[in-house]
Each structure stands twice: as structure tokens, then as C-alpha cells.
Amino acid sequence: MKTVANFIVERRRWILAAVIILAGVCAVLIPKVGINTDMTEYLADDSSMKIGMDLMDEEFPEADEDYTIRVMYRGLTAEQKTAMQEKLAGIKNVTKVDYKAGDAAYNKDDYVLYVLHTDYDYDSDEEKAIEDALESDYSENGMKFADDSGDHPNIPTFVLIGLVVILMIILIIMCNSWTEPFLFLFTIGIAIVINLGTNIVMGAITETTFSVTAMLQLVLSMDYSIILANRYRQELTQTEDRRAAMKSAVVGAFSSISSSSLTTVVGLLALVFMRFKIGLDLGVVLAKGVFLSVVCVFLILPGLLLLFSNLLEKTKKPTPKIPTGGLARFCNKYRLVLALLFIALFIGAYFLKGRTTISYAMISNDAVAEVFPKDETVVLLYDNADDARMTELAAEMETWDNVKSAANYSNTLAKQHTAADMVTAIDDLSDSIGGDRQYIVPTANTYKLLYHKYYGGEPGALTISEFLQFVMQDVMTDPTFAPYIEDIDPQEFMKVMGSLDPTMMVKPMMPAEMAEVFATVEGFDAETISLMYLYHDAILPENDARTMSIEQLMNYLSDTLVEDATFRRFMDDGMIADIKRSAADLNDGVKQLKGPRYSRLILTTTIPAEGPETDAFYEKINERCKDNTGEFHLIGSSAMNYEMSRSFDRELLQITLLTAIAIFLVVLITFRSPLVPVVLVLLVQCGVYITITVIGFQGYSINYLALLIVQCILMGSMIDYGILFSNYYREARKTSGTAEALKQAYAGSIHTILTSGLIIVIVTAIFGQCFGEPTVEQICRTISIGAASAILLILFVLPGVLACLDRFTAGRNSLKKAE
């Protein structure tokens, strides 16, 4: 290590320049690191939802993603509401705008909701252009909007500035020089930039990781700079040669910093073993950040301290003197009480933590959802062999209170409808098939005619009186055909009839004969008469039971009727193109619902993202599916939350044990005594339980990521404070009794514990409150409360426990007699 220290000090200028250049390169790379907001990409490989999503990618490669932006206004009149829909539809990259006047789903009190659709992914340049247009050109009447990816704000500049100011205030108060804090901040800042830039090797990181990495790296690593600077000052008391003092400081601080950072890195790497792969993302990035901070502290801080040594001397200042003698005497006197208190706290917090709800949803701010709650879409992927049973289940699900619709191929596009039912079916599906539907006049008789033609109906014979009565009473009042025969003069019929032999009036005729009779009537040609015959027979009562599916109807229109001369006369080129486009769109819809082996049942529900209602909903679905079907998979954000909740207790236990064992082994190597690491691990774990309990008593739930992070950070970083205090205590016990050893332990550790601890507690608390993103706020609030709990336990409980167990914790070289 002396050789390394010598190289660092002698080559300090070159090293500083090289690290700054590296930081510059990494700064350029930071914007190129992908930020992933799709948490489904981090599902475990054996996750049912992950398997289902992979199968969907294979089965439905052409399935379209629907990207929506919900826009809400207040105080619009009825006319303004319609006009606003048209204005919003004109925004570039918006494909359509959903809004229905009078529908409670779009109108509530004084508010109105529009749903904008686009073909572009969230956070794409095109989608951002829509949001920019909304903010700049459509922001009247209290407009608020939210895309369905959630609200993902960037860190506000004022928050970053405020955090740095708070951090500097703490450091300035606690450091020995007015200059030191700036050198510390520069050192860790360089490490943060390098860490963020080197994330390029991961391709993309989660937004949560990106949001908290810099802040956590800053607060977790600052004490390394403090340790090295303090050691340098101690060495200067032994020699006036600054470079020699720095070399000795690097060698002397290496053990403390490396052991301290090792516990932190090991604790963070425990996240890697989470089934949900966001743990791998978080663990690697945070552990890499701590490691890089250590590297930068050793590589560039020595050079900075030597470069600014004169300024450091000139800006010396006194540090706060924290009296701890009374606290040391108290802890020694009541050591048994404190040990019993620790046991009571541990047991009590362990049981009370069960009252705190664990949340799994990645919450975001959504002012629109506060007025118009979002529907929760769930996809149930199932084997085509189970289609009949699943269609029955879909019908049952639609009777559930929290299900608005349950749509699969069989009960939508392939469902058989009578002509009367087809009117409603086509109207309900109008948004899906697109277009203005100018080729479909929504009347039951229209569909009866199409059905009759589809089933190959042949016209029967009619008398002239029957035929004319039908034309006058039915055809000329029908909105489909009336426009095409409105120019026909009824007087022309009378003239023809007056010239006929009376026997002709009662003679049944086929269409061709009837066309010869009325050949002189303008506009009443053979094709028109043939169509009238077909129409007459189509609406006979005996044909009412005929059915077709929407898919059959649209494909028949597109493939056959547009080529039929009788019907072609009613269609212009634009209408034919619209028919073919709509049929193609509908066939695309088929491909989104039914694949070669699997089908999708799409549920639109009102269930919340998580909670008892959601759990009951999924348990009910699982029960129904397991009893009636084969392989199935549930896919959706609430489905992911439910799936995670089923395995989280086991996963938390695994991470807790893994972290505790790893930290225990690291501390065991340091103390070579099994009881000290046991005490420290249990003490910090008690802090975790207290944190969960406190958050529950505050009325909050605790985010599962926040819980895992605080478990790893407290066990990895806060335990360093316990190690520091215990080291001073054991060292002092070699020459002093327990009371004096506690006093010396406080004196040696209190400054470092409070400096580093206050940074973690205060910075995370303020960062979470100001960031504006609920998930990050929960993580930061949990870390802040957890750090405060651990610090309080270390300062007020650990001393008493060490003294109470002095026989086992003081070490073999301690004074035999305990006070």
C-alpha cells in the first residue's frame, strides 16, 4: 500500500488531470444512457406475467400499442366542448380524440375529459411534441394532462441547488476548515459524474435508479472524504512534510475507508439477488457509485488537499464540541436497562411492523385521475383450446361490479348478431373499425338486406300491387334507399298501371318481368327493381333469426359486395376505399385478439392499482381459471403488483438474511469476535423494523423498493457507525474501564457519526419532499427515517449493550475488571 500511496502523491497532478478528463467523457455519455420507465422488463424469468408477455410478443407480433394522453378542462360550455374536441384532433401526431357529450366517463361536475390517441411511444419526440403543444397552445380553462405512462418529472434545478446548499452548511459547521467542504463536494461530484456516465455499459437503467443514484451516492460516500482529511490532519501533527503526511494518511485511512465501503457495497449488492430485476439495476449502479467514490477519494482528494494546503491552513475554523461525558456515564450506569430496552424494542418493532402496508405500485402524480379515475386494463392470455370456457367466463366477469367490459375474439368480432343487434354492435365497435362509417346506415333493415344477400337469398314473385305498396311504404321511407329513388315521379307509376291489362295486376312476376312493365319509368331500371325484390324478402319475419358476426359482415362488404353491380351503384370510390380500409383494420383487430395458439381476453376494470379489492379480484380470476382452463397468464400493471405481493415476503426474508450474513462475516473479520457483529447486525435490523413501524403509525404505506433499499443501506452503511463506535470502545478498554471507554468511544466517533448521519437524514428527507415524484419521495422518506432510527440506536442503545456484554465485546486485551 505504501507504493500505491507514494504513486498517488507523487503523480497527483497527472492523476487529477486524467480523472477530470474521464469525468468529462462520462458527462458527455450521461444523456446517452437510456432511461427505462417500463417496469415489466424487470420481471423475473419465471414470472407468469413475464412468460405471458413473451408469448404475446410471439403470438401477436402485429399487435398495436395504444398510447394515450388524457386532457382535462374546466368550465367549458356545451359548444366549447365540441369545438375543443375538434381543436385537439388537429394537433400534429394525434390520430383521434375520444369524447362523448353527456357521458359520465367524460363529463363530471364542471370538468370535461378528452382522451388523445397517438401512434408514438411515451417520451418519444413526437409524443413530447403533443405535450408541448398542449402546454403552449391549449392551456386555457385550467387544462391539465397526463400520459398513461405516468408522471415522470426531472429533478428540479432549485432542488439540486438547495440540496447542495444544505449539504455545504452541514459540512461547513462540522469541518475543520471553510475550504474542506468544497474539496469534498468536488471529489464526490466527480465520482457521481463518472458513475452516471459509465451506466452506458448497462444500456438503460430504470427511472427510479436514475432519480436516486446521485443523491444516495453523495450521502453514502461523503464520510470517506472526511476520514481521509481527518487522518491527514493527524499526520501533520507528526511531521511538517505535507507530502509525507499525505502518504501516511493514505496508508492509514485505507483500512478504515475500505472496510467501511466494503460493508456498504456488500449491502447494496444484496439487491442483485431480488427476483424482480430492478434490484440488479439498483444494486449494481449504487454499489458501483460507492466504489467509484472510494477510488476518487484516494486518487484525487490527496492532490486537492495538497494543492490547496495553504488555503486550508488560512481557513481553519473551530468545530463544534459535543459534550458526551454525561451520556457515557448514563449508558454505563443503566447498561442493563438499555440492553433490556433493546430487546423490547426489537421484539415490539418486529410485531408492530406487520401493521404497515407494503405497496408495490409505482405511484405518480396525476391530477386528471383525481377527477376521472383511470380504468385498469388487464389482459388474460389463454390457450385457444379453452376459448369456449373463457368466453363463458367473460360473460360472468361482465356481471362483476369492478369489470366494465370483458372482450375477446369470440364475444366481439366473432360473436353472432341478428340484424337488430348488429346496429348496436357496430356502433359499439365504431371506434375500433375507424372511418366515418358512411357506407353503413345503421338500421336493422339495412343489415337484414345484407344478411339475405350473404345467405344467397333468391327473390320470390310479387304482384304489381304488392310491389308498389312495398316501394311506397317501405323503400321510400328507408334512409338507405330513399335518396336514390326520391326523383322518381309516382305519377309515372299510375300512367303505367292505367295502360295495363287488369289481369296483369294480380299476376305474380319475377324481377325481370317487373322491370319490363316499368321500363318507361325513369330511374327504375332492372337492377333497382331486383334490389327492391331482394329487400322485400330480406325483411320477412321468417328471416329475423339470421345472424352474422361483425368480421363476416365487414369481409363480405369488402370482398364481395363492392364488386356486385347491384350494390356498386350505391358506392363511390371514396366509400369503397373506406370499406376496404375498415375491413383491413378489423382484420388487424382479429390479429390482436386471436393468435395461432393463444387468445387474449381484455378486461377493462375499475380496480385500483393495488389493495384488498385488487387482491380479491385476482384471487377470484385465478380460482375461476384454474378450475376451468389450462395454461393462462394475467398481464397488466395491477397484475404485476399482485404477483409481486405474493412472493415479496419470501424475497424480503431472503434479502434480509443474505445481507445480515454477508455483513456479519465482514464485521467478524474486523473484530474477530462473533458477538460484536451479532449485536451490530441485530441493532441495525431493529432500526429497519422501527422504520417500518414509524411509517405505518404516520398513516403511510411503505414502498417495497424503499423497504429493500433501506434494508440494504442501513445494514451496509449505517452499521459503519456501529463499527466505528465499537472500535473506539474496544481500543479504549485496553487501558480504561467501561465508563471511560464509553466516554472515549463517544469522543472519537460522535463527530463522524453526526456529520455523515445528518447528511443522510436531512438530505434524503428534503430531496424526497421536493422532488415531486411519489415513489422517489417514499424511498427517500424511508431512508431518512431509517438512518435516523439507526443513528439513535447506535448513540443511545449500543453503548449500553456493549457495556452490558463487556465480557464478550471488549476483546481479549481489555482490562479484566468492568466498572
Side-chain angles (χ1 to χ4, degrees):
M1 189 62 203
K2 290 182 179 180
T3 303
V4 175
N6 185 69
F7 177 81
I8 290 172
V9 173
E10 296 299 331
R11 303 292 182 181
R12 59 188 180 279
R13 291 184 176 85
W14 290 102
I15 293 174
L16 181 60
V19 173
I20 291 176
I21 291 172
L22 175 61
V25 173
C26 289
V28 174
L29 293 177
I30 291 175
K32 302 182 185 300
V33 178
I35 305 299
N36 184 19
T37 59
D38 183 5
M39 291 297 102
T40 61
E41 292 190 12
Y42 300 95
L43 288 167
D45 292 335
D46 61 349
S47 158
S48 175
M49 181 169 162
K50 174 68 172 177
I51 295 171
M53 292 180 67
D54 291 342
L55 288 173
M56 278 208 311
D57 290 340
E58 296 174 8
E59 291 278 306
F60 306 95
E62 300 179 16
D64 296 327
E65 289 286 345
D66 186 28
Y67 304 105
T68 59
I69 302 173
R70 292 166 296 115
V71 183
M72 181 176 70
Y73 288 91
R74 185 176 187 180
L76 298 182
T77 65
E79 294 78 11
Q80 288 174 324
K81 290 179 181 179
T82 303
M84 183 58 72
Q85 182 181 12
E86 296 174 358
K87 286 175 61 179
L88 294 173
I91 298 177
K92 185 179 180 181
N93 301 323
V94 171
T95 55
K96 66 177 180 177
V97 178
D98 294 338
Y99 169 71
K100 291 183 180 179
D103 191 327
Y106 297 92
N107 301 271
K108 184 176 182 180
D109 299 328
D110 200 26
Y111 296 92
V112 58
L113 174 69
Y114 302 94
V115 181
L116 280 58
H117 294 259
T118 180
D119 294 331
Y120 298 98
D121 197 355
Y122 302 118
D123 293 329
S124 65
D125 292 339
E126 292 82 2
E127 192 268 346
K128 289 179 181 177
I130 297 174
E131 296 187 359
D132 291 342
L134 289 170
E135 290 180 330
S136 61
D137 302 327
Y138 301 87
S139 58
E140 64 266 29
N141 293 86
M143 186 275 293
K144 297 183 182 298
F145 69 88
D147 67 57
D148 284 345
S149 68
D151 183 19
H152 308 290
N154 293 318
I155 303 174
T157 303
F158 77 89
V159 173
L160 291 175
I161 296 174
L163 289 177
V164 172
V165 170
I166 293 169
L167 177 67
M168 293 299 290
I169 290 173
I170 296 173
L171 288 175
I172 288 171
I173 292 173
M174 304 300 290
C175 286
N176 291 272
S177 167
W178 299 97
T179 307
E180 276 184 359
F182 297 95
L183 302 183
F184 297 165
L185 187 63
F186 179 82
T187 301
I188 303 302
I190 289 291
I192 290 172
V193 171
I194 295 174
N195 187 36
L196 294 177
T198 53
N199 286 334
I200 193 74
V201 300
M202 302 181 69
I205 60 176
T206 69
E207 188 173 39
T208 301
T209 301
F210 180 77
S211 299
V212 302
T213 291
M215 182 269 299
L216 288 182
Q217 185 178 348
L218 182 67
V219 300
L220 293 176
S221 304
M222 189 57 69
D223 55 339
Y224 307 146
S225 298
I226 297 171
I227 292 172
L228 181 60
N230 286 341
R231 187 61 183 242
Y232 173 57
R233 278 192 301 274
Q234 292 173 11
E235 295 296 335
L236 282 176
T237 62
Q238 305 298 320
T239 177
E240 294 182 358
D241 187 340
R242 291 172 178 170
R243 287 192 294 180
M246 182 57 70
K247 293 175 184 178
S248 298
V250 170
V251 173
F254 178 78
S255 177
S256 298
I257 294 177
S258 59
S259 61
S260 177
S261 61
L262 180 61
T263 58
T264 304
V265 169
V266 168
L268 292 171
L269 286 178
L271 290 169
V272 171
F273 295 93
M274 284 177 59
R275 290 182 68 253
F276 193 40
K277 295 177 183 177
I278 190 175
L280 175 65
D281 188 82
L282 266 169
V284 169
V285 173
L286 291 176
K288 175 164 63 73
V290 172
F291 173 76
L292 288 171
S293 294
V294 173
V295 172
C296 286
V297 165
F298 280 117
L299 287 183
I300 67 174
L301 185 58
L304 291 173
L305 291 173
L306 289 174
L307 180 63
F308 294 97
S309 57
N310 291 330
L311 184 60
L312 289 170
E313 286 293 326
K314 293 177 181 178
T315 57
K316 277 186 177 180
K317 57 176 278 297
T319 57
K321 301 299 180 183
I322 304 170
T324 56
L327 183 58
R329 290 190 294 273
F330 173 85
C331 290
N332 183 60
K333 181 177 181 179
Y334 296 102
R335 54 184 179 270
L336 179 60
V337 174
L338 290 173
L340 294 175
L341 174 64
F342 168 58
I343 295 173
L345 280 173
F346 191 95
I347 296 174
Y350 176 81
F351 287 104
L352 289 174
K353 70 180 177 64
R355 299 177 56 181
T356 303
T357 303
I358 298 175
S359 65
Y360 303 90
M362 304 301 283
I363 307 168
S364 60
N365 294 316
D366 191 344
V368 179
E370 293 177 4
V371 180
F372 296 98
K374 289 171 56 178
D375 290 335
E376 182 71 23
T377 301
V378 180
V379 176
L380 201 167
L381 187 75
Y382 62 90
D383 195 295
N384 287 340
D386 298 321
D387 186 70
R389 291 189 292 271
M390 276 297 185
T391 302
E392 293 176 1
L393 180 58
E396 178 192 338
M397 288 178 178
E398 288 188 323
T399 66
W400 297 357
D401 292 339
N402 46 21
V403 176
K404 297 173 70 173
S405 66
N408 68 350
Y409 170 72
S410 294
N411 72 2
T412 53
L413 302 180
K415 184 178 181 179
Q416 294 292 308
H417 301 279
T418 65
D421 294 336
M422 186 62 79
V423 177
T424 304
I426 287 289
D427 186 61
D428 290 343
L429 205 67
S430 61
D431 290 338
S432 299
I433 63 177
D436 296 331
R437 295 185 296 120
Q438 55 181 323
Y439 50 87
I440 298 177
V441 179
T443 67
N445 285 347
T446 305
Y447 295 123
K448 285 181 180 180
L449 174 59
L450 297 176
Y451 282 25
H452 194 58
K453 181 70 174 175
Y454 175 81
Y455 283 104
E458 294 294 332
L462 294 174
T463 66
I464 291 176
S465 60
E466 289 174 334
F467 176 71
L468 290 181
Q469 181 181 12
F470 172 69
V471 170
M472 298 297 182
Q473 293 182 359
D474 294 279
V475 177
M476 298 192 75
T477 59
D478 189 292
T480 302
F481 301 106
Y484 296 94
I485 61 175
E486 60 185 2
D487 295 334
I488 297 177
D489 187 356
Q491 297 298 323
E492 294 294 322
F493 290 118
M494 303 306 296
K495 289 179 181 180
V496 172
M497 292 172 63
S499 64
L500 295 176
D501 187 314
T503 59
M504 294 285 290
M505 298 296 295
V506 294
K507 176 186 175 182
M509 298 182 184
M510 297 302 288
E513 296 177 271
M514 193 69 71
E516 291 180 4
V517 172
F518 293 102
T520 60
V521 178
E522 185 177 356
F524 218 57
D525 54 35
E527 288 184 351
T528 300
I529 291 175
S530 178
L531 185 61
M532 298 303 103
Y533 265 73
L534 189 66
Y535 187 21
H536 175 273
D537 290 353
I539 63 176
L540 293 175
E542 56 263 32
N543 294 327
D544 288 350
R546 285 175 172 171
T547 62
M548 287 181 73
S549 70
I550 296 175
E551 181 184 13
Q552 288 174 309
L553 175 64
M554 292 303 304
N555 286 333
Y556 183 62
L557 279 170
S558 174
D559 299 339
T560 304
L561 284 190
V562 295
E563 305 299 334
D564 188 290
T566 302
F567 287 85
R568 180 68 180 260
R569 64 186 300 181
F570 298 104
M571 307 176 192
D572 57 27
D573 291 341
M575 191 180 297
I576 292 173
D578 201 15
I579 289 174
K580 290 186 174 293
R581 178 188 58 77
S582 296
D585 289 345
L586 186 134
N587 287 326
D588 288 340
V590 172
K591 295 176 183 178
Q592 296 189 43
L593 291 174
K594 186 173 183 179
R597 182 182 170 189
Y598 295 92
S599 291
R600 301 201 301 176
L601 174 59
I602 300 176
L603 303 172
T604 303
T605 76
T606 58
I607 61 173
E610 60 182 354
E613 180 185 352
T614 304
D615 291 346
F617 173 79
Y618 281 107
E619 286 165 6
K620 190 174 182 180
I621 289 181
N622 280 312
E623 179 184 350
R624 296 289 195 279
C625 291
K626 287 177 180 177
D627 291 342
N628 297 289
T629 65
E631 180 184 5
F632 69 94
H633 303 280
L634 291 161
I635 301 163
S637 58
S638 59
M640 180 173 68
N641 298 335
Y642 173 77
E643 185 177 300
M644 291 172 59
S645 70
R646 299 302 92 183
S647 62
F648 182 73
D649 287 344
R650 182 176 67 254
E651 184 163 10
L652 177 60
L653 177 61
Q654 174 184 321
I655 296 296
T656 301
L657 291 176
L658 184 64
T659 308
I661 293 171
I663 298 301
F664 172 84
L665 293 175
V666 172
V667 180
L668 180 63
I669 295 172
T670 301
F671 288 99
R672 303 185 185 278
S673 167
L675 191 59
V676 175
V678 167
V679 169
L680 295 180
V681 168
L682 291 178
L683 191 80
V684 174
Q685 191 60 48
C686 181
V688 175
Y689 293 154
I690 290 174
T691 301
I692 301 172
T693 302
V694 169
I695 289 176
F697 277 119
Q698 289 178 333
Y700 297 111
S701 61
I702 184 168
N703 181 269
Y704 79 102
L705 269 182
L707 178 52
L708 288 171
I709 291 173
V710 80
Q711 169 73 46
C712 295
I713 286 180
L714 262 63
M715 195 63 73
S717 181
M718 295 296 103
I719 204 169
D720 290 343
Y721 303 155
I723 293 172
L724 180 65
F725 187 94
S726 301
N727 262 330
Y728 274 108
Y729 176 77
R730 285 162 58 91
E731 185 67 25
R733 280 290 286 123
K734 294 177 182 179
T735 58
S736 306
T738 55
E740 180 61 24
L742 288 178
K743 182 178 179 181
Q744 292 183 37
Y746 272 118
S749 64
I750 191 71
H751 184 273
T752 301
I753 292 174
L754 288 182
T755 302
S756 179
L758 287 174
I759 289 173
I760 294 178
V761 172
I762 296 175
V763 170
T764 53
I766 295 176
F767 182 82
Q769 289 296 325
C770 297
F771 184 69
E773 209 282 321
T775 300
V776 174
E777 178 185 340
Q778 283 196 29
I779 292 173
C780 291
R781 180 174 63 237
T782 305
I783 293 173
S784 180
I785 295 173
S789 301
I791 291 169
L792 290 173
L793 287 172
I794 289 167
L795 291 180
F796 296 99
V797 176
L798 177 61
V801 175
L802 290 176
C804 183
L805 302 176
D806 180 80
R807 179 181 177 185
F808 307 100
T809 60
R812 287 179 293 180
N813 296 324
S814 62
L815 290 179
K816 298 299 182 183
K817 183 180 179 181
E819 298 169 359

